[in-house]
Amino acid sequence: MSLELWIGMLVAAVGTYLIRLLPLLWMQKRLARSEADGPVDALPKWLVILGPMMIAAVLGVSLVPRTPDAAGWLATVIGLGVTLAIWRRTRSLGWPVVGGVLTFGVVVIVARMVG
Amino acid sequence: MKRESIHAATPGWLMGLREAIPLLGGYIPVSISFGLVATQAGFSSVETLVISILIYAGASQFLFVGMAASGAPLWLTVAMTLLINVRHVVYAPNLAPWLPPSRWWPWLMHGLTDQVFALAHSRLPQLPESRRVGWFFGAAMLAWLSWIAGSLLGAVAGEWLTSRWPLLGEVMPFALPALFLVLIVPRFTSRRWAAALSVSVAAALVCTLVGLTNVGIPLAAACGALCFYMIRLPETAGTNKGTADKGTTQEGRSS
């Protein structure tokens, strides 16, 4: 990398860090102020709603399989079903993910062999 | 009871580390791809490693090396890299109410990726205050180190790995949708929330299918929020922070 590109990379890195950090400092100040003023809910309602919506959006983005053919989509649907079923039984984080990934893998392999 | 007491004795950082393991399924294959793409674009292994350590934002790293390799103006490369990451501005404020005072938080914000946010947003409210810094440290550190290790592996042996185990790179990333599903399901607490979250998932899926992956996340979240405000279905929990948290307190425990 040229010196120019190194500087550009550093600017991008610092900028990305500030994008993550500055909103935290702003909200911490807001929370401290609201605590001093009394029991007012400092977190704006739109932000409370936007948080889960962002997680749902990240889910939507990650749903598209690496190879988006019929086998990939079938494995995605069945894998999600199994993940959900295991979550309903265990209410845990790890086992549903393990079960979902294994199911996804098995369905992809079987579907490719059959198809 | 026994399991609960074992759970309570586990240090916060170890819990975070353990609960972030599913993230590796997504991080390692993608970071290997990044390492491979970066070296093919003319970056050395050391340069690839430094980019992953310092920028640490998947999509924007791919864009950075791609634009730099194609000879795009530097200011445009940097501007586009930052523009992709703008969606991160809403993450820290959403976590702030659950972050106890600590001088570590500003440093730990480097590790606030999409996936770490999703995990932390669900788990931090369920943890006692004393373990939250440790939990976040463990989870964010594992994710960061796996990203760095994957990038290095991709830069050094990416071509060999992808030709030897092509299916692994296809199967492992399913850990991410599986994890996000588990994180989001407890939030379907009413028809209003269910409708809004479903709109967000569907909009993001459509955006990705038409090639708008990065803008898809904020755009889909905005669609979901708009749906939440527009429809007037019965709401039992969710808009109230406290109520929503109670709804998920016993859920999402690590196995």
Side-chain angles (χ1 to χ4, degrees):
Chain A
M1 280 201 298
S2 64
L3 179 65
E4 197 187 27
L5 199 54
W6 271 108
I7 293 169
M9 193 275 290
L10 286 174
V11 171
V14 172
T16 301
Y17 174 62
L18 291 178
I19 285 170
R20 289 165 175 164
L21 173 68
L22 295 180
L24 173 75
L25 301 179
W26 167 74
M27 182 50 77
Q28 281 181 329
K29 267 191 185 163
R30 198 183 152 111
L31 286 168
R33 210 170 41 232
S34 74
E35 261 174 35
D37 293 344
V40 181
D41 194 357
L43 201 62
K45 192 180 174 185
W46 63 267
L47 209 52
V48 175
I49 292 160
L50 206 56
M53 295 306 156
M54 292 293 273
I55 301 173
V58 177
L59 167 63
V61 164
S62 64
L63 280 178
V64 179
R66 274 284 181 93
T67 311
D69 57 0
W73 284 111
L74 181 70
T76 301
V77 172
I78 296 174
L80 289 176
V82 170
T83 303
L84 201 58
I86 299 175
W87 175 80
R88 288 184 70 148
R89 283 184 69 87
T90 63
R91 302 277 159 158
S92 67
L93 272 182
W95 291 118
V97 175
V98 171
V101 171
L102 288 176
T103 306
F104 181 91
V106 169
V107 174
V108 162
I109 292 166
V110 171
R112 297 258 161 84
M113 280 167 64
V114 172
Chain B
M1 286 297 283
K2 200 173 179 180
R3 182 182 153 171
E4 276 169 19
S5 59
I6 291 167
H7 200 65
T10 314
W13 67 269
L14 192 58
M15 272 177 73
L17 201 87
R18 212 170 53 191
E19 291 178 7
I21 287 172
L23 297 182
L24 303 188
Y27 273 42
I28 290 176
V30 177
S31 57
I32 288 175
S33 304
F34 171 72
L36 182 61
V37 167
T39 47
Q40 284 173 346
F43 290 82
S44 71
S45 298
V46 174
E47 290 163 351
T48 304
L49 197 64
V50 174
I51 291 171
S52 279
I53 291 170
L54 296 181
I55 297 183
Y56 185 37
S60 63
Q61 286 184 211
F62 279 97
L63 187 82
F64 183 86
V65 297
M67 286 183 77
S70 68
L74 188 61
W75 69 267
L76 188 63
T77 305
V78 173
M80 290 303 292
T81 303
L82 295 175
L83 197 65
I84 284 184
N85 295 332
V86 162
R87 67 181 185 279
H88 292 182
V89 294
V90 301
Y91 291 166
N94 253 289
L95 298 180
W98 292 284
L99 306 184
S102 168
R103 63 196 167 92
W104 291 104
W105 289 121
W107 301 109
L108 291 174
M109 285 303 104
H110 180 56
L112 191 62
T113 60
D114 298 316
Q115 294 78 12
V116 170
F117 163 73
L119 195 59
H121 192 260
S122 300
R123 288 294 289 136
L124 287 180
Q126 302 166 356
L127 297 171
E129 276 197 8
S130 58
R131 302 169 92 183
R132 289 178 191 166
V133 179
W135 183 93
F136 193 94
F137 174 80
M141 193 55 82
L142 181 72
W144 188 44
L145 292 179
S146 72
W147 181 258
I148 294 167
S151 300
L152 184 62
L153 198 62
V156 175
E159 233 161 304
W160 179 78
L161 280 171
T162 48
S163 62
R164 188 152 171 81
W165 291 296
L167 203 60
L168 210 59
E170 188 178 346
V171 173
M172 292 298 282
F174 187 75
L176 289 184
L179 175 66
F180 297 138
L181 179 71
V182 172
L183 293 176
I184 206 68
V185 162
R187 293 176 190 275
F188 281 66
T189 49
S190 67
R191 278 193 286 170
R192 189 183 188 190
W193 272 95
L197 290 167
S198 302
V199 164
S200 189
V201 173
L205 181 61
V206 170
C207 284
T208 309
L209 288 173
V210 298
L212 299 171
T213 306
N214 295 305
V215 76
I217 294 175
L219 195 68
C223 287
L226 196 68
C227 171
F228 186 88
Y229 280 113
M230 282 178 70
I231 58 172
R232 288 279 175 267
L233 291 170
E235 184 188 345
T236 55
T239 49
N240 180 303
K241 195 158 46 95
T243 320
D245 298 342
K246 277 176 199 164
T248 58
T249 300
Q250 295 305 317
E251 292 157 351
R253 209 178 286 144
S254 173
S255 59

